[in-house]
Amino acid sequence: MSDDPEVPERPADRESPVGEPVVRADPAVTGERATDAVGFDPDDPGSVQRAADTVRSFAENTVGSEDHVYMLRGAAACAALVRGVGSYKAAAERAGGDVSVAFIRKWARVHDLPRAIRRHVARGTIAPTAAKHIARVAGDDRYALAWATLEHGLTVREIRRLASEVGNGTDVESALSERGLTFGRMGVTLPSDQYVELRRRASVENRDPDGLVADALDEFLEL
C-alpha cells in the first residue's frame, strides 16, 4: 500500500472518530462550507443533545433534499447519538418525534462508510440515498458498488437492487454482468506521448493495453 500519509489505507469501514467531520471539514471537498462543519462528541452530554436535535431535524427534512453536506451531517449525528446513548432504540427515543430505529440505523451506516466513498457523497457524485444502500453491504463490496455507481451512472433504484443481490450472496461482478455492465471498466484519457508508447508496447508484446496498464498500477499501488 502507499506510504503517502495523504492516502489512507483501505478499510471497508470508517476509522476516524465517530462524529468527527473529516470529509465535511475538508475545503477540497466542500469548499467554503468546510468552515461550518459541525462535529459531535458521543462522550460529551451537551454534544449528544445537539446530535439528538440534529437527528430529529434531519428526519423531518430529508425527503427530496439535494444538500449532500447536510445529509452527511445528519448521518454523523445519527452515529454519534447511537454511540452516546448506547443503542439504536435509545437513540430514536432521545431524538423524539417520528424518528425510527430503522432511520437512525440506515444513516449511521452511511457515516461508517470509508472516507473515499463519503468524499463522493459530499461532492454530489454519489447520492446520499444511494449511499444508504451501498452501506448495507460489507467489506470491499462497498467499494465495488460505489465505483460501479460512478462508472455506470447507476440510479438509486438500481443500486438498491444490486445491494440486495450482493447481500444475498451474489458477487458484484456477476450482478453487473447480468445487466450487461462490465465491472472494472474505466475510460482513461492519456497524454499523447504516453498513449502512443502504450499502444506501441502492447503491439510489440502482443498484449492488450489493459494488461500493461494493470501491471503498471500493480507496481504503483503496491498491490
Side-chain angles (χ1 to χ4, degrees), residues 109-182:
R109 285 175 178 169
V110 170
H111 186 66
D112 288 337
L113 284 170
R115 186 188 310 179
I117 297 176
R118 286 183 287 116
R119 289 173 74 90
H120 277 286
V121 177
R123 294 182 185 118
T125 50
I126 293 179
T129 47
K132 283 196 304 181
H133 299 297
I134 293 171
R136 289 163 48 199
V137 302
D140 278 356
D141 284 340
R142 291 179 160 190
Y143 286 111
L145 273 183
W147 307 155
T149 298
L150 296 177
E151 292 301 325
H152 298 295
L154 300 176
T155 66
V156 173
R157 179 176 295 181
E158 288 171 327
I159 298 166
R160 181 182 64 202
R161 290 175 177 170
L162 283 167
S164 294
E165 292 176 19
V166 172
N168 289 329
T170 303
D171 64 88
V172 176
E173 185 171 355
S174 296
L176 288 171
S177 179
E178 291 177 359
R179 292 163 170 79
L181 303 174
T182 301

Side-chain angles (χ1 to χ4, degrees), residues 41-216:
D41 182 355
D43 297 319
D44 175 13
S47 187
V48 170
Q49 183 56 50
R50 286 193 294 276
D53 294 340
T54 300
V55 169
R56 181 166 180 171
S57 176
F58 177 50
E60 294 170 350
N61 294 282
T62 56
V63 178
S65 175
E66 296 181 356
D67 189 335
H68 306 94
V69 178
Y70 170 77
M71 303 286 266
L72 282 178
R73 184 178 66 180
C78 287
L81 182 57
V82 171
R83 182 69 60 87
V85 299
S87 71
Y88 291 115
K89 181 178 179 180
E93 293 173 350
R94 181 70 173 270
D98 294 327
V99 179
S100 68
V101 169
F103 178 88
I104 292 179
R105 180 185 294 113
K106 288 177 183 179
W107 286 105
R109 285 175 178 169
V110 170
H111 186 66
D112 288 337
L113 284 170
R115 186 188 310 179
I117 297 176
R118 286 183 287 116
R119 289 173 74 90
H120 277 286
V121 177
R123 294 182 185 118
T125 50
I126 293 179
T129 47
K132 283 196 304 181
H133 299 297
I134 293 171
R136 289 163 48 199
V137 302
D140 278 356
D141 284 340
R142 291 179 160 190
Y143 286 111
L145 273 183
W147 307 155
T149 298
L150 296 177
E151 292 301 325
H152 298 295
L154 300 176
T155 66
V156 173
R157 179 176 295 181
E158 288 171 327
I159 298 166
R160 181 182 64 202
R161 290 175 177 170
L162 283 167
S164 294
E165 292 176 19
V166 172
N168 289 329
T170 303
D171 64 88
V172 176
E173 185 171 355
S174 296
L176 288 171
S177 179
E178 291 177 359
R179 292 163 170 79
L181 303 174
T182 301
F183 179 67
R185 174 173 293 172
M186 295 181 65
V188 178
T189 300
L190 301 173
S192 59
D193 57 341
Q194 292 182 3
Y195 175 74
V196 169
E197 182 62 13
L198 175 63
R199 284 290 188 182
R200 186 190 71 80
R201 293 195 188 187
S203 178
V204 169
E205 297 179 19
N206 296 316
R207 296 185 61 186
D208 190 285
D210 289 0
L212 291 180
V213 171
D215 288 347

Side-chain angles (χ1 to χ4, degrees), residues 21-31 33-35 37 115 119 123:
V22 176
V23 170
R24 290 176 288 123
D26 185 348
V29 180
T30 57
R33 298 185 65 181
T35 59
R115 186 188 310 179
R119 289 173 74 90
R123 294 182 185 118

